[in-house]
């Protein structure tokens, strides 16, 4: 057996299972060794029947006293039972719909059972336990790995493959940590880590293995990010001749905040520097990032280059298109729109104009990346709300330029420092930490179902004062828990029963883009009083007259998402409100939502969210554009992250291209890590 041995050569793996394994990314023994358990079951301690505790699953060694009998309870339900004994007593073992047990358990033999012992008076019972013959035990009497699974792949199957693989191949896993790095931090070898992450000798060995793997992963990632950054600073960029930002500011209908002005100056300096700009502008919702983007496009145009601005949703692309067209009209900059839902003929027209250089600023969705979209002379790439795009998409847009373009990334997601270091490790960062003047913070309240009537009255009051209202619900369709307010049904109820005299409309992600646009346009035009919506209004949408947001089932949302949502109000000159409705009584939930009512600082909220939910949920599945982490947990492993980043910096200083022979395995792994998520090394 070698690392390259195909899993389908194992006797237990037929074509169907091989296919299921492939879904998990598992084709070879090597893949399997890098597939880490998500949890462990401690099956080391063996209890007697009488002494087995009830609260948790435990191992019990017992003799099968009688041959198991199967009986049919009703159609589709069989039960197989037998009695087992040891010196301390006896227990009934019961299996549902597992007829094979009749042949798997032999009377008179000893087995180790793993499961929860239920005690009812003098009667003890084990239901659906896992079991193995005592003299051939592989998965009991040890710490058992629990792997992430998929349909057709059971944990026993994976563990059964992992065990021989680890036994024969752990020593072949290449140690990519340079030995000075490994020894300097007293980390175990790759072989030890591999053995003990899959089948830990004991809890301590597991901790030792995990410490190394977490470090290794964060170290590799840090090397990759540092590598990207250094490669970029070496590249030559187009020089956009310096133009005074003041000339642009004169075009704005407002005077900029100090932070906006600083951001624009930095952008100007970047683009004049001779290196490609790679700047992240991070600013809370409503801080005025669009004007910074407009300034960048204006500078590009002055240098005779085209710009492209990519937004994550059609709604947002439209809104940017409108805002920027209006803002830039006096400058003669020609703005074009390109989105996936446009008619083919329209698209062709815009594409032709782009290729001919008749559009200076293309605003759109990822349609801007499509094959066949060509630019006459793309010099500036802007992405809005970056956490929704991956590193790969950012570079895909850049690759449409003939020379490396300037890149401006805008994000409204305040990102905790630890994550920002990783995700934006290859970017310079500007923080817009100032809101335009005259904004009063949104007042936020948490209410239960008992206050629903009062909440409706509050909606009515706001509308009577000329304001508009958002009502946000988490789900589009009934079904995902029926107590959820499904947006369509709920909108109907509101329109017909609660607010028959108001103009109520709804919008959700399953509507056609065109329908969505129409509703959003009507809302921003003031023709709708109450907009019932899912989270499609989450990013970027700007309707200053909307002064109240009600969030139904607020406990369903993470803090960062609530913050994004709340940013839709408080954009005009009126006092704005956010009302969280939740009937959830759990103390943690109450505390989380209470916290939200008490702070408006996006960074604090983000830190709290990360702490409570971890990075996966923080961004939603794979939205951060980072390679998937197998071992590390960014929320919990911050200290290790800092160490790993320092180690990566030290190493790259000494060998910037990682070309020394002892660094080759590391370079290889860095490539692999990033290759899984887009070819940013090409
Ligand atoms: P962001 O994209 O950062 O969430 P926007 O660029 O959409 O914020 O700006 C939010 C609102 O504030 C817009 O209506 C915009 O016209 C307005 N705005 C931006 N900058 C200023 C400023 N300096 N003074 C007054 N209003 C501003
Ligand atoms: Mg914005």
């Amino acid at each position: 057996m070698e690392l390259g041995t195909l899993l389908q050569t194992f006797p237990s793996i037929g074509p169907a299972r091989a296919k299921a394994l492939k879904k998990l990314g598992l084709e070879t023994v090597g893949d399997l060794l890098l597939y880490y358990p998500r949890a462990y079951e401690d099956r080391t301690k063996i209890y007697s029947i009488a002494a087995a505790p009830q609260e948790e699953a435990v191992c019990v060694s017992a003799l099968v006293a009688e041959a198991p009998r199967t009986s049919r309870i009703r159609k589709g339900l069989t039960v197989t039972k037998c009695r087992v004994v040891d010196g301390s007593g006896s227990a009934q073992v019961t299996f549902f719909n597992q007829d094979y047990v009749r042949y798997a358990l032999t009377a008179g033999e000893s087995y180790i059972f793993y499961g929860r012992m239920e005690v009812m008076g003098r009667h003890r019972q084990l239901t659906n336990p896992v079991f193995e013959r005592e003299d051939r035990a592989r998965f009991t009497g040890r710490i058992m790995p629990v792997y992430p699974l998929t349909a057709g792949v059971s944990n026993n199957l994976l563990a059964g493959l992992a065990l021989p693989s680890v036994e024969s191949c752990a020593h072949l896993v290449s140690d990519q940590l340079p030995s000075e790095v490994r020894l300097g931090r007293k980390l175990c070898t790759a072989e030890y880590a591999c053995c003990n992450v899959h089948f830990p000798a004991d809890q301590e060995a597991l901790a030792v293995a995990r410490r190394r793997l977490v470090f290794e992963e964060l170290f590799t990632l840090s090397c990759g990010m540092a590598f990207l950054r250094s490669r970029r600073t070496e590249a030559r960029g187009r020089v956009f001749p310096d133009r005074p930002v003041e000339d642009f500011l004169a075009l704005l209908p407002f005077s900029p905040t100090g932070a906006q002005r600083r951001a624009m100056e930095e952008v100007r300096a970047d683009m004049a520097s001779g290196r490609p700009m790679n700047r992240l502008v991070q600013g809370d919702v409503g801080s005025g990032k669009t004007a910074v983007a407009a300034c960048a496009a204006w500078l590009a145009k002055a240098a005779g280059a085209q710009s492209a601005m990519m937004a994550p949703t059609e709604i947002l692309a439209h809104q940017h298109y409108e805002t920027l067209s209006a803002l830039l009209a006096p400058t003669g900059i020609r703005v074009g729109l390109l989105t996936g839902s446009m008619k083919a003929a329209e698209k062709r027209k815009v594409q032709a104009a782009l290729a001919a250089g008749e559009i200076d600023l293309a605003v759109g969705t990822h349609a801007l990346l499509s094959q066949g979209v060509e630019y006459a002379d793309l010099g500036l790439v802007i992405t809005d709300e970056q956490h929704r795009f991956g590193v790969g998409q950012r570079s895909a847009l850049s690759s449409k330029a003939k020379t490396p373009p300037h890149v401006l990334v805008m994000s409204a997601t305040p990102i905790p420092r630890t994550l920002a270091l990783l995700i934006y490790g290859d970017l310079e960062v500007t923080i817009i930490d100032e809101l335009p003047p005259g904004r009063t913070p949104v007042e936020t309240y948490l209410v239960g179902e008992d206050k629903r009537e009062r909440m409706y009255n509050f909606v009515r009051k706001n509308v009577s004062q000329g304001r508009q209202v958002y009502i946000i619900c988490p789900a589009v369709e009934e079904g995902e828990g029926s107590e959820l307010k499904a947006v369509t049904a709920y909108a109907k109820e509101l329109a017909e029963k609660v607010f028959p005299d108001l103009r109520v409309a709804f919008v959700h992600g399953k509507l056609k883009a065109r329908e969505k646009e129409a509703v959003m346009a009507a809302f921003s035009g003031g023709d709708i009083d109450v907009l019932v919506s899912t989270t499609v209004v989450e990013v970027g949408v700007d309707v200053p007259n909307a002064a109240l947001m009600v969030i139904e089932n607020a406990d369903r949302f993470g803090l960062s998402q609530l913050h994004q949502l709340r940013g839709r109000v408080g954009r005009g000159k009126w006092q704005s409100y956010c009302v969280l409705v939740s009937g959830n009584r759990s103390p943690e939930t109450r505390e989380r939502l209470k916290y939200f009512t008490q702070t408006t600082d996006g960074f604090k909220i983000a830190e709290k969210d990360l702490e409570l939910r971890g990075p996966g949920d923080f961004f939603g599945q794979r939205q951060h554009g980072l390679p998937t982490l197998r071992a590390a947990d960014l929320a919990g492993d911050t200290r290790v992250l800092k160490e790993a980043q320092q180690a990566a910096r030290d190493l790259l200083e000494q060998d910037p291209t990682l070309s020394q022979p002892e660094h080759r395995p590391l370079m290889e792994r860095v490539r692999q890590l990033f290759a899984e998520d887009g070819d940013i090394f090409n």
Side-chain angles (χ1 to χ4, degrees), residues 254-257 260 283-291 320 323 384-385 412 436-437 439 540 542 544 568 571:
F254 42 72
S255 55
T257 63
Q260 280 173 317
D284 217 335
V285 281
S287 60
K289 294 181 293 293
T290 316
H320 277 319
T323 312
D384 193 14
E385 320 292 349
R439 301 257 169 90
D542 186 24
R568 299 306 111 217
R571 306 193 131 222

Side-chain angles (χ1 to χ4, degrees), residues 265-405:
E265 289 292 350
E266 283 172 347
V267 166
R268 181 190 55 79
D270 283 350
M271 299 203 296
S273 73
R275 295 221 187 85
M277 167 168 75
N278 274 289
R279 184 166 295 277
L280 167 70
V281 173
Q282 199 178 325
D284 217 335
V285 281
S287 60
K289 294 181 293 293
T290 316
V292 177
C295 176
W298 176 81
L299 288 161
K301 162 77 173 175
Q306 284 174 305
S307 309
M309 176 165 179
M310 183 162 71
T313 63
E314 298 247 343
I315 291 181
L316 203 52
H318 264 263
Q319 192 154 53
H320 277 319
Y321 172 70
E322 308 269 308
T323 312
L324 291 168
S325 304
L327 203 63
L328 295 170
T331 64
I333 293 180
R334 296 158 297 180
V335 186
L337 177 69
L338 189 64
T339 68
S341 70
M342 281 165 51
K343 290 217 181 70
E346 275 178 274
K347 270 192 230 172
R348 268 199 301 278
K349 225 169 94 190
V350 175
Q351 287 181 8
L354 271 176
E358 290 156 14
I359 289 176
D360 303 307
L361 168 60
V363 178
T365 54
H366 42 256
L368 292 170
L369 306 175
S370 334
Q371 259 200 333
V373 178
E374 280 171 35
Y375 299 82
D377 184 20
L378 182 60
L380 169 67
V381 163
I382 306 169
T383 55
D384 193 14
E385 320 292 349
Q386 165 64 21
H387 72 279
R388 300 190 163 233
F389 297 115
V391 176
Q393 278 172 309
R394 206 197 300 157
S395 59
L397 186 51
S398 295
S399 69
K400 301 242 173 210
K402 294 178 184 85
T403 50

Side-chain angles (χ1 to χ4, degrees), residues 6 57 72 87 99 146 164 208 258 264 399 445 501 510:
L6 293 174
R72 179 170 301 267
D99 299 6
V146 179
V208 169
M264 292 176 194
S399 69
Y445 301 95
D501 50 331
K510 301 235 166 102

Side-chain angles (χ1 to χ4, degrees), residues 60 62-70 80-84 91-95 98-114 126 128-134 136:
V60 170
L63 181 117
V64 172
E66 58 189 359
R69 285 179 314 274
T70 298
T80 306
K81 288 184 179 175
C82 70
R83 178 146 296 277
V84 302
Q92 166 106 357
V93 184
T94 307
F95 298 90
Q98 297 183 47
D99 299 6
Y100 74 92
V101 165
R102 251 186 304 166
Y103 311 105
L105 287 175
T106 311
E109 292 283 352
S110 267
Y111 294 84
I112 298 179
F113 296 90
Y114 177 74
L126 271 169
N128 290 336
V130 180
F131 61 88
E132 292 182 297
R133 243 173 74 170
E134 183 149 25
R136 297 183 202 147

Side-chain angles (χ1 to χ4, degrees), residues 29-50:
V29 166
D31 295 338
L32 193 61
L33 294 186
L34 288 178
Y35 193 73
Y36 303 139
R38 62 171 177 82
Y40 299 86
E41 283 174 359
D42 195 338
R43 302 184 185 175
T44 45
K45 200 157 158 28
I46 303 211
Y47 289 87
S48 68
I49 291 175

